[in-house]
Amino acid sequence: MKVLFAASEASPFIRTGGLGDVMGALPQALAKIGVETAVVLPLYSDMKAEYRNSLKYIGNTTVFLGWRQQYAGVFMSRVNDVDYYFIDNEYYFKRNGIYGHFDDGERFAFFSKAVLETMQVTGFYPDVLQCNDWQTGLTPLYLNCFYRLVDGYKTMKTVMTIHNIEFQGRMDKYVIDNVFGIPHDFYQVVEYKGDANMLKAGIESANKVVTVSPTYAREILDPYFAYGLDGILNARSFKLCGIVNGIDTALYDPKTDKALFANYDYKTYKKKAENKKGLQELLGLPVSDRPLIGMVTRLTPQKGIDLVLNVIREILSMDLQLVILGTGDGKYENALREIGKQFPTKLATAIYFSGDIASKIYGASDMFLMPSKYEPCGLSQMIAMRYGSVPIVRETGGLKDTVPAFDPTTGKGLGFTFKTYNAHDMLGAVQRAVDTYYKPDLWQKGVVKNAMAADFSWKRSAEDYLNLYKSI
């Protein structure tokens, strides 16, 4: 089977978040189980020079976008048995930053159509074309509009992946004809509630719609989670499913992570204490064996920072330390800085992002707090468990699917959970975790052991995706 992924970012070439991580790992996991896999991306000027310089030019074509005729060059690179194709157009992609430009709709409409047009240059016609988020939402529609009767495209199936439904590619409906060049007969596929909606076009046009966790697939049928798309999702629920993401277990491995002060695994778990001591010294906290809770997060409402700030004094009144790494809304950044000044021996804030410090927090922390308002999948909780940091999470999306609650009576479960989006429910989960920390038979021999033994590799997810492809 041949599968092509279309996405706006992919590690290691260029990434801004979880989408880039998934596009770096899932295609390679599929290649390992025998799927012929390729990925197509825009060729951004922001891509790291070491990768740009390794690209090979293979040809070019013209993409017709409404009344526009745009050049599309094609470059390629091969990494771990996966071909990566890059679509070059300096008018659209030679800019600082890959998102946030006034004409993002036009930029990614061009890319969505170029994904299909450049197959005639690469010669890679997939059995399944998997599109990711609104930036490629028009691709399944363009396939149905313009390519479905062309040899190579006739039997091609499409999957639309929703990584975060909050971001939909909504804009003035004027663009449907003038910019996107969508024929009048297909106008209603893009239009939704008076706007153009690129993600909605993908949902309507694809053979399957998949989210990055089963619980999130169910949640987005509810108006609370759907950001206005619940109507169309409920009407198309027959094509909706969810598959949990994995993590790169070679990259996130406490036995080999060079950022750690000391490497360890479950058999050498005592060495984790060296990481706690090292992080405490680095961030100016007193060296102590009291519980250390870590957060590596964007400081935004989605991530539950409101809950943390609402009861942070109650949390810090407990015999513990809290370390928070991340950036985001200025009001949250400023609030955390001020509280840090009031509790210098208990709270350390790093209001920036550093992969090195993130790894050190995973390696040092006893618990990892993720009180998200919603979480399509989440990777941090899985990384934390790999490092023996027990997650404290709200039961939503992928957090619910990957962190079953620890039951001290049976010894089963991977973390501590709470259901409602309520600060004191979160506080109760923190208190349960701290209480358990002081019971070695339940902590290290129980929940920590369970967490570190859990399998979050991409192999399982890749097999689920292969079964999905076979079903269509």
Side-chain angles (χ1 to χ4, degrees):
M1 180 176 288
K2 298 170 69 173
V3 177
L4 176 66
F5 290 88
S8 57
E9 57 181 88
S11 179
F13 301 100
I14 192 161
R15 68 173 293 278
T16 65
L19 171 61
D21 290 331
V22 173
M23 287 298 99
L26 175 56
Q28 295 186 19
L30 284 165
K32 288 179 181 178
I33 60 174
V35 179
E36 188 176 350
T37 312
V39 183
V40 58
L41 304 159
L43 181 56
Y44 302 106
S45 59
D46 277 2
M47 195 168 79
K48 296 175 183 177
E50 61 184 289
Y51 296 116
R52 286 185 66 92
N53 295 339
S54 68
L55 300 183
K56 175 186 176 183
Y57 173 77
I58 59 173
N60 68 81
T61 187
T62 299
V63 174
F64 293 87
L65 192 68
W67 49 265
R68 301 158 186 79
Q69 298 182 37
Q70 291 285 4
Y71 166 86
V74 184
F75 292 76
M76 77 168 292
S77 179
R78 188 170 178 82
V79 179
N80 296 334
D81 298 322
V82 177
D83 287 330
Y84 292 84
Y85 298 110
F86 298 86
I87 295 175
D88 176 38
N89 181 292
E90 292 190 350
Y91 174 71
Y92 290 127
F93 303 129
K94 189 177 182 180
R95 308 184 185 191
N96 293 325
I98 66 177
Y99 308 127
H101 298 282
F102 77 96
D103 60 345
D104 275 359
E106 181 179 335
R107 295 171 68 228
F108 289 108
F110 163 79
F111 175 65
S112 292
K113 198 170 185 184
V115 166
L116 297 160
E117 191 66 37
T118 55
M119 291 178 188
Q120 300 174 42
V121 177
T122 65
F124 191 91
Y125 293 93
D127 299 301
V128 177
L129 172 58
Q130 183 160 340
C131 303
N132 292 272
D133 278 346
W134 70 265
Q135 293 91 348
T136 54
L138 293 180
T139 302
L141 176 57
Y142 282 136
L143 174 62
N144 293 338
C145 287
F146 301 114
Y147 297 88
R148 187 56 80 186
L149 300 180
V150 180
D151 288 342
Y153 301 90
K154 292 179 180 179
T155 61
M156 196 179 296
K157 304 299 183 182
T158 53
V159 174
M160 187 72 228
T161 307
I162 302 173
H163 296 264
N164 189 336
I165 202 167
E166 180 178 358
F167 306 104
Q168 300 176 7
R170 291 178 58 184
M171 58 208 70
D172 193 294
K173 63 182 179 181
Y174 162 82
V175 302
I176 297 175
D177 176 41
N178 186 271
V179 177
F180 299 166
I182 301 299
H184 181 75
D185 289 350
F186 292 88
Y187 184 95
Q188 294 302 319
V189 178
V190 188
E191 192 272 337
Y192 193 60
K193 296 184 177 179
D195 294 326
N197 190 309
M198 297 170 76
L199 181 60
K200 185 257 189 180
I203 293 169
E204 288 274 47
S205 304
N207 297 105
K208 279 284 186 179
V209 179
V210 60
T211 69
V212 289
S213 71
T215 294
Y216 193 58
R218 294 189 294 271
E219 286 177 340
I220 61 174
L221 298 176
D222 188 304
Y224 180 82
F225 293 96
Y227 284 88
L229 279 177
D230 51 290
I232 192 66
L233 286 165
N234 277 280
R236 301 289 180 265
S237 61
F238 63 89
K239 63 167 82 172
L240 180 63
C241 66
I243 297 174
V244 173
N245 287 335
I247 59 171
D248 186 334
T249 53
L251 176 63
Y252 299 112
D253 187 347
K255 290 190 296 185
T256 58
D257 191 335
K258 294 180 180 179
L260 300 187
F261 295 101
N263 293 112
Y264 64 95
D265 57 15
Y266 181 72
K267 292 181 180 178
T268 57
Y269 180 76
K270 289 183 178 180
K271 290 185 178 181
K272 189 174 172 70
E274 296 178 43
N275 290 287
K276 182 188 284 191
K277 179 176 182 290
L279 184 68
Q280 289 167 332
E281 292 175 340
L282 180 65
L283 299 181
L285 291 172
V287 174
S288 167
D289 63 355
R290 67 182 60 176
L292 176 63
I293 299 178
M295 293 186 73
V296 178
T297 183
R298 287 183 288 112
L299 302 178
T300 63
Q302 178 205 334
K303 297 299 182 179
I305 305 303
D306 290 311
L307 300 189
V308 176
L309 290 173
N310 191 269
V311 294
I312 195 165
R313 286 172 173 80
E314 288 95 325
I315 292 173
L316 296 176
S317 70
M318 301 164 67
D319 188 25
L320 55 77
Q321 294 173 334
L322 176 62
V323 175
I324 301 175
L325 169 69
T327 62
D329 292 0
K331 64 179 181 179
Y332 297 134
E333 294 182 354
N334 293 333
L336 288 171
R337 287 191 184 101
E338 288 303 311
I339 296 168
K341 293 175 184 177
Q342 298 170 31
F343 296 88
T345 64
K346 288 199 159 188
L347 174 63
T349 58
I351 309 301
Y352 53 83
F353 185 78
S354 163
D356 178 77
I357 299 298
S359 284
K360 286 178 167 62
I361 292 174
Y362 290 125
S365 59
D366 300 294
M367 304 151 198
F368 194 86
L369 181 58
M370 287 185 72
S372 301
K373 189 173 186 179
Y374 69 91
E375 194 67 60
C377 180
L379 300 178
S380 294
Q381 81 278 13
M382 292 185 275
I383 298 169
M385 285 186 273
R386 180 102 169 122
Y387 285 69
S389 181
V390 176
I392 304 169
V393 303
R394 188 167 100 80
E395 294 179 14
T396 184
L399 299 179
K400 182 176 181 179
D401 292 328
T402 58
V403 188
F406 179 67
D407 183 346
T409 62
T410 64
K412 295 181 179 180
L414 304 180
F416 297 85
T417 70
F418 62 102
K419 291 185 178 180
T420 58
Y421 190 69
N422 178 283
H424 285 88
D425 284 352
M426 179 195 74
L427 181 62
V430 172
Q431 290 169 334
R432 293 196 305 276
V434 171
D435 289 345
T436 307
Y437 176 83
Y438 289 106
K439 300 172 183 176
D441 286 344
L442 292 178
W443 187 256
Q444 183 180 338
K445 297 178 183 179
V447 66
V448 171
K449 182 179 181 180
N450 297 348
M452 294 189 76
D455 179 14
F456 295 112
S457 69
W458 271 105
K459 183 176 185 296
R460 178 186 58 182
S461 300
E463 290 170 348
D464 289 341
Y465 271 104
L466 181 56
N467 289 332
L468 173 68
Y469 303 149
K470 289 178 180 178
S471 75
I472 57 173

